[in-house]
Amino acid sequence: MESAEKHARRNKIITHVVLIIVSFIMLVPFAWMILTALKTNQESISVNPFYIFPHNGWHWENFATVWKSYNFIILYKNTLLMIFFRVVCACLTATMAGYAFGRLRFPGKKVLFTMVLIQMMVPAQIFIIPQYLMVSKMGMLNTTFGLVWPGIVTAFGTYLLKTGYEGLPMDLEEAANIDGCSIPGRFLHIMMPLTRSSMVSLGIFTAVFAFKDLMWPMIVCPKAECTTLSAGLAKMQGQYGSEYPTMMAAATLAVLPMVIIYVIFQKQFVEGIATSGGKL
Amino acid sequence: MEKAKIWFRAFWAREKEKLDKLTTRQKIRYIWDYYWLWILGIVCFFSIGGYMIYRACFAVKDYWFFCVFANTMEEGGNGSDLWKDFVAYSGYDTSQKKVEMNASMYFDPSIPGGTNNSYYQGFVALVESGELDCVVMNTEGLQGVGSSGRLLDLTDESSQEIYAKYKDRLVYCEPYDEEYEKDLVPVGIDISDSLLITKYHLYEGDCALGISAYTSRPEGVETFLEFLFSEAEEVA
Amino acid sequence: MSKKMTPAAKNEAKWGLIFVAPTMIGLIVLNFYPIFNTIYQSFCKTGDFGKGNTFVGLANYQKVLSSSETWQSLWNTIKYALIEVPFGIVIALLLAVLLNKKIAGRSIYRTIFFLPMVCAPAAVAMVWKWLYNTQFGLLNNVFHAKIEWISDPNIAWISIGVIGVWSIIGYNMVLFIGGLQEIPGDYYEAASIDGASGVRQFLSITVPLLSPTTFFIVQTRIIGALTVFDLMFMVLDKTNKALKSVQSIVYLFYQYAFTNGNKGYGATLVIVLLVFILIVTFILQQIEKRVVYHN
């Protein structure tokens, strides 16, 4: 019995060592971003690796400079609004289509699903110009909904949720079918709640992609009052004549809400185990 | 349709039966628990749809003039002094059509890797969608943009007047496309001594203006060029 | 609709079509119109200084298919996929399994592994360029070497692949955790009561039940790796000696369509890539039918 306990302990230690090493590798750019934000401009452009830490004092004022020169409140608000609309729209359309592709038989299913896959196979650059023209012709430039527009449906999410629905046991739905539950009823009350963790993953991905996208907000919302964080910091991130410390301070401030959102969503994940099969 | 009605009635009857057993507070709770995502979805759908119709009917969509100032750290966008002065000079009514200036793009085709960024992709989208009228940037960068064939060959019919007026200020580029009829194409107008530099200080070195190959409004560019040289003429 | 369908099957078909309608309408408007536009462009020679499009038939295809550059970059893309897909998936799966157990600080680990996904791309590119720098880079300093990590044609594709693996682990891990959550916990309890060891449980429960998720990740990552662009875009520039032996096909597309303004040629490259990925996908779908476990 004692040896089993020892064994378990050793396993635990190995696990932690592995995780800590990987964490370190994953953390490097993030740490570097914050450390650069605290350096002077001179220090930041020297590529000598032995100056990892700022050696002329820690320049917290870089954050203050950035915070003052941008209206972060508005930028956060726009970004969160865009993410909210995109996540809700993408999750709903994808969960419906995913259920149909994963569970139902209908004519043209293969062709339609191939179309979903094709959307992922072509470089995203070819979509920009037509989508921009659509938004422009609808008079939606410089609006939050213009930002949301290309994200209302998602091919990736449809495929993800199709996989989620396919993985559920067949007997559940058959039982419901015998009970006389209609297809929408089965979908809403039985199947959809069970794919909750796939939906959370999709929500996280939609949010991250929407958040990181720089080009779309940049051309659709050039006005400072209605653009998102990533594009709002355009001046700061301009490659030419830029100052790394302020730029990195801006990048850090921009990333923080995303990290917070993930931490909150993650709680959903963990709780998901206990209440799996519960309501959505 | 008939079937859908029957289904809906049955569904509603079942839900109602469940709901009747609950108190009001529990009822709201129940509906929210099961359908919160759908409620949000419907709200989103209608707000997006409604707003789209509203904008499609009432928003100002067309442009008088649309210009990009690339690689400047100064304030040159909408609402800046430059923008206000130009609107006042040209007498354009901004409630009918827009005057758009974008001064937050950074790319330079004349240096290695200078087009490997999102700004350049955005710029290309603006040009090729036909919305953009002209671009102002450092002369070398403009020559790089010109080489890709995205700027108007100024000897073209649509820009005859501009060509005649600014003949002595032309900036030439070599096209990437070797099959093009000319080896050197006039694509830009040197504006290093214009108001843009002397009054608004957008650039430190030399700069040039190029007209988009896909524009449909060369008049706007003409007015803008006149504006840029207006005070210089007065002094002269 | 055929008359052979039973009412139940008809009902199913009707709801199926209703459910996919929003997504398909959206995809057609937002994505398929541009794709058809691209197909049309691939038959054209586009805009020279405002002189407009001219229809040139298959001339672009002839040029693209006879250029050694195309085949070289297609091969580069495959090499990249061969690094990114297997390593990215195996490492992410191991991490996800470790983090799905009840261990101390797992939410902290998960958050840390998620960080590279939200990091500013500019910061990521700068860190890696700094690590790989020949003169001052950390790697060369630690190993006392003078290796040109990203400009030596023999090494550069591996260095780029490593960045690819690094930036995709968190992403795959989030998906794997999602998949693991959907495996009912009682399966493991039953296995524990039967005395199955951790490794046995992993092989006989986790692997088969996770196979749909795994297949999904393999499929999307293969597509993702074959259309790799962002990474090369940040790290490589025109003066890089190794450019020819690392640039992916989408990078080549960007150089032609965006930097050089030759849209017709770029569009043709996209179509060639699309056909290639469709073939790969078709093979994968055939494999899926044999390998993936469906209950």
Side-chain angles (χ1 to χ4, degrees):
Chain A
M1 208 57 212
E2 212 182 33
S3 79
E5 236 167 62
K6 247 186 193 169
H7 191 73
R9 246 186 94 167
R10 206 188 58 202
N11 271 354
K12 234 177 208 174
I13 291 171
I14 294 173
T15 310
H16 276 284
V17 169
V18 171
L19 289 176
I20 287 170
I21 292 172
V22 180
S23 304
F24 180 76
I25 299 170
M26 293 304 203
L27 265 178
V28 170
F30 200 71
W32 188 82
M33 202 163 94
I34 296 174
L35 287 173
T36 307
L38 296 170
K39 288 176 183 173
T40 62
N41 203 16
Q42 196 59 39
E43 276 175 289
S44 71
I45 49 175
S46 80
V47 276
N48 189 332
F50 300 104
Y51 293 144
I52 294 171
F53 293 99
H55 53 280
N56 288 333
W58 298 64
H59 293 264
W60 292 101
E61 70 272 12
N62 288 334
F63 283 96
T65 319
V66 173
W67 183 266
K68 268 184 230 147
S69 52
Y70 287 93
N71 197 336
F72 268 88
I73 306 293
I74 285 187
L75 291 181
Y76 281 142
K77 189 203 83 189
N78 290 334
T79 311
L80 290 178
L81 261 181
M82 173 186 74
I83 289 178
F84 170 79
F85 279 115
R86 277 202 187 186
V87 169
V88 171
C89 290
C91 278
L92 283 181
T93 54
T95 191
M96 280 165 67
Y99 176 70
F101 281 126
R103 285 291 173 155
L104 302 177
R105 266 161 305 181
F106 56 91
K109 184 169 155 179
K110 272 206 173 138
V111 178
L112 293 179
F113 191 67
T114 312
M115 282 171 72
V116 171
L117 287 179
I118 285 178
Q119 195 270 346
M120 295 193 276
M121 295 177 191
V122 289
Q125 282 78 15
I126 70 168
F127 302 135
I128 308 163
I129 295 165
Q131 289 179 354
Y132 172 75
L133 269 175
M134 280 175 218
V135 171
S136 173
K137 293 283 177 273
M138 289 189 294
M140 301 274 276
L141 291 179
N142 286 315
T143 63
T144 311
F145 294 125
L147 288 173
V148 176
W149 180 244
I152 48 176
V153 293
T154 150
F156 171 83
T158 305
Y159 189 9
L160 176 69
L161 282 157
K162 170 190 179 257
T163 312
Y165 282 110
E166 274 176 350
L168 295 175
M170 270 304 182
D171 41 356
L172 250 178
E173 213 178 345
E174 270 158 27
N177 197 9
I178 292 163
D179 273 0
C181 195
S182 66
I183 290 173
R186 271 184 263 166
F187 167 60
L188 283 174
H189 293 280
I190 302 163
M191 306 308 278
M192 199 176 134
L194 288 175
T195 54
R196 171 187 157 130
S197 57
S198 296
M199 284 248 264
V200 175
S201 308
L202 174 61
I204 289 173
F205 284 129
T206 312
V208 169
F209 292 147
F211 168 80
K212 272 176 114 172
D213 188 11
L214 169 65
M215 185 175 25
W216 182 252
M218 197 177 67
I219 61 173
V220 170
C221 286
K223 260 190 201 159
E225 312 88 71
C226 48
T227 198
T228 62
L229 271 171
S230 53
L233 303 174
K235 273 236 140 114
M236 201 64 101
Q237 294 176 338
Q239 277 189 332
Y240 305 94
S242 59
E243 294 179 359
Y244 288 136
T246 33
M247 180 179 145
M248 287 298 147
T252 312
L253 285 174
V255 161
L256 280 182
M258 267 328 277
V259 177
I260 294 165
I261 288 176
Y262 179 72
V263 171
I264 295 168
F265 264 107
Q266 200 201 221
K267 223 179 145 225
Q268 290 274 314
F269 261 147
V270 180
E271 281 166 5
I273 313 171
T275 60
S276 142
K279 60 206 169 198
L280 184 85
Chain B
M1 202 59 216
E2 210 40 49
K3 270 185 189 168
K5 265 185 200 162
I6 293 167
W7 170 78
F8 188 74
R9 267 187 216 134
F11 172 77
W12 192 242
R14 243 181 302 127
E15 292 297 295
K16 226 180 160 199
E17 199 183 315
K18 276 191 229 167
L19 283 173
D20 282 341
K21 291 177 197 153
L22 304 168
T23 63
T24 318
R25 179 170 271 221
Q26 279 172 319
K27 265 182 209 164
I28 295 168
R29 179 88 214 171
Y30 171 86
I31 292 174
W32 182 249
D33 276 351
Y34 267 103
Y35 299 109
W36 65 271
L37 191 59
W38 297 95
I39 294 168
L40 285 183
I42 289 165
V43 170
C44 284
F45 179 80
F46 279 105
S47 50
I48 293 178
Y51 195 69
M52 241 162 81
I53 294 166
Y54 164 75
R55 292 290 294 199
C57 295
F58 299 109
V60 183
K61 279 175 270 184
D62 295 328
Y63 295 95
W64 289 113
F65 177 68
F66 186 176
C67 179
V68 162
F69 300 108
N71 303 342
T72 175
M73 286 304 176
E74 293 304 315
E75 198 48 61
N78 292 350
S80 64
D81 290 342
L82 171 63
W83 185 86
K84 283 178 201 153
D85 290 350
F86 175 62
V87 171
Y89 174 86
S90 61
Y92 287 146
D93 181 0
T94 49
S95 62
Q96 281 180 354
K97 292 182 184 181
K98 290 186 277 190
V99 171
E100 185 86 12
M101 291 181 183
N102 183 333
S104 25
M105 289 209 165
Y106 306 89
F107 56 89
D108 190 344
S110 65
I111 63 167
T115 56
N116 283 13
N117 60 50
S118 305
Y119 304 109
Y120 185 70
Q121 289 179 45
F123 169 73
V124 169
L126 291 182
V127 174
E128 291 190 350
S129 63
E131 303 269 279
L132 190 73
D133 292 323
C134 73
V135 53
V136 176
M137 65 192 294
N138 46 323
T139 308
E140 276 186 6
L142 192 86
Q143 285 169 325
V145 175
S147 299
S148 70
R150 290 199 175 87
L151 298 180
L152 195 66
D153 182 341
L154 293 178
T155 52
D156 193 77
E157 279 169 44
S158 56
S159 58
Q160 276 305 315
E161 284 176 40
I162 295 176
Y163 180 72
K165 201 165 169 190
Y166 301 97
K167 233 182 217 162
D168 46 342
R169 294 174 168 273
L170 295 180
V171 172
Y172 291 86
C173 75
E174 291 173 47
Y176 287 126
D177 179 12
E178 285 150 9
E179 291 157 27
Y180 193 65
E181 56 203 39
K182 288 179 233 169
D183 292 335
L184 279 177
V185 189
V187 289
I189 295 155
D190 184 58
I191 50 169
S192 306
D193 55 344
S194 69
L195 290 181
L196 214 54
I197 304 263
T198 53
K199 192 169 167 195
Y200 304 102
H201 310 291
L202 248 60
Y203 297 91
E204 276 162 9
D206 50 348
C207 67
L209 177 144
I211 303 173
S212 157
Y214 307 93
T215 181
S216 50
R217 301 176 291 262
E219 330 72 67
V221 183
E222 236 179 293
T223 320
F224 185 64
L225 278 168
E226 274 167 30
F227 162 71
L228 284 183
F229 291 109
S230 56
E231 267 175 51
E233 275 164 22
E234 275 166 37
V235 173
Chain C
M1 300 246 170
S2 65
K3 283 174 189 166
K4 278 176 252 164
M5 282 171 100
T6 61
K10 250 186 191 170
N11 185 39
E12 201 172 319
K14 180 188 77 186
W15 283 108
L17 288 172
I18 291 174
F19 280 0
V20 294
T23 303
M24 294 322 294
I25 292 170
L27 285 182
I28 288 169
V29 173
L30 289 168
N31 302 113
F32 276 84
Y33 162 62
I35 289 174
F36 285 122
N37 211 3
T38 306
I39 295 175
Y40 171 70
Q41 268 176 13
S42 71
F43 297 108
C44 291
K45 183 171 171 15
T46 44
D48 268 323
F49 303 95
K51 299 272 161 45
N53 293 1
T54 41
F55 191 81
V56 291
L58 290 169
N60 282 324
Y61 285 89
Q62 209 175 6
K63 272 191 226 161
V64 167
L65 294 175
S66 62
S67 155
S68 64
E69 203 181 21
T70 313
W71 301 107
Q72 176 66 42
S73 48
L74 193 62
W75 172 234
N76 295 339
T77 317
I78 296 169
K79 279 199 294 190
Y80 172 80
L82 287 176
I83 299 181
E84 196 227 88
V85 178
F87 286 98
I89 289 175
V90 170
I91 297 172
L93 176 60
L94 291 177
L95 291 175
V97 170
L98 289 181
L99 288 179
N100 205 39
K101 289 185 193 147
K102 286 201 173 84
I103 53 162
R106 74 170 166 181
S107 11
I108 298 172
Y109 287 128
R110 278 183 191 170
T111 312
I112 291 174
F113 296 163
F114 173 76
L115 280 179
M117 282 175 69
V118 287
C119 234
V124 174
M126 271 192 275
V127 172
W128 282 98
K129 274 186 179 169
W130 169 71
L131 283 173
Y132 283 148
N133 190 302
T134 315
Q135 267 189 306
F136 308 104
L138 190 69
L139 284 176
N140 278 348
N141 266 298
V142 169
F143 297 116
H144 295 288
K146 277 263 168 264
I147 301 170
E148 294 177 313
W149 295 100
I150 44 174
S151 49
D152 183 335
N154 297 319
I155 301 173
W157 65 282
I158 301 176
S159 311
I160 301 274
V162 169
I163 309 181
V165 172
W166 175 87
S167 46
I168 217 66
I169 287 177
Y171 171 94
N172 289 347
M173 195 196 67
V174 170
L175 287 171
F176 272 128
I177 290 178
L180 287 170
Q181 301 277 303
E182 276 165 15
I183 300 176
D186 24 332
Y187 284 31
Y188 290 104
E189 274 164 37
S192 295
I193 291 165
D194 288 352
S197 70
V199 178
R200 266 304 291 278
Q201 286 184 20
F202 177 76
L203 290 177
S204 59
I205 300 172
T206 314
V207 169
L209 286 182
L210 202 61
S211 61
T213 311
T214 314
F215 180 79
F216 165 76
I217 298 176
V218 170
Q219 166 86 76
T220 49
R221 279 331 302 158
I222 286 180
I223 294 178
L226 292 176
T227 52
V228 62
F229 172 66
D230 287 0
L231 191 91
M232 312 233 167
F233 183 62
M234 294 186 303
V235 182
L236 300 177
D237 60 48
K238 267 189 204 160
T239 51
N240 192 323
K241 279 185 293 181
L243 186 65
K244 282 246 167 342
S245 57
V246 277
Q247 65 180 356
S248 73
I249 203 143
V250 180
Y251 188 88
L252 196 65
F253 151 76
Y254 184 82
Q255 292 307 325
Y256 278 103
F258 280 74
T259 308
N260 293 358
N262 194 347
K263 271 191 294 175
Y265 193 90
T268 315
L269 280 172
V270 170
I271 305 300
V272 169
L273 178 69
L274 181 64
V275 170
F276 177 72
I277 302 181
L278 273 175
I279 295 169
V280 173
T281 306
F282 180 75
I283 297 169
L284 275 175
Q285 301 285 357
Q286 299 307 309
I287 295 172
E288 187 212 6
K289 281 180 197 153
R290 303 212 176 126
V291 179
V292 174
Y293 170 87
H294 287 293
N295 41 33

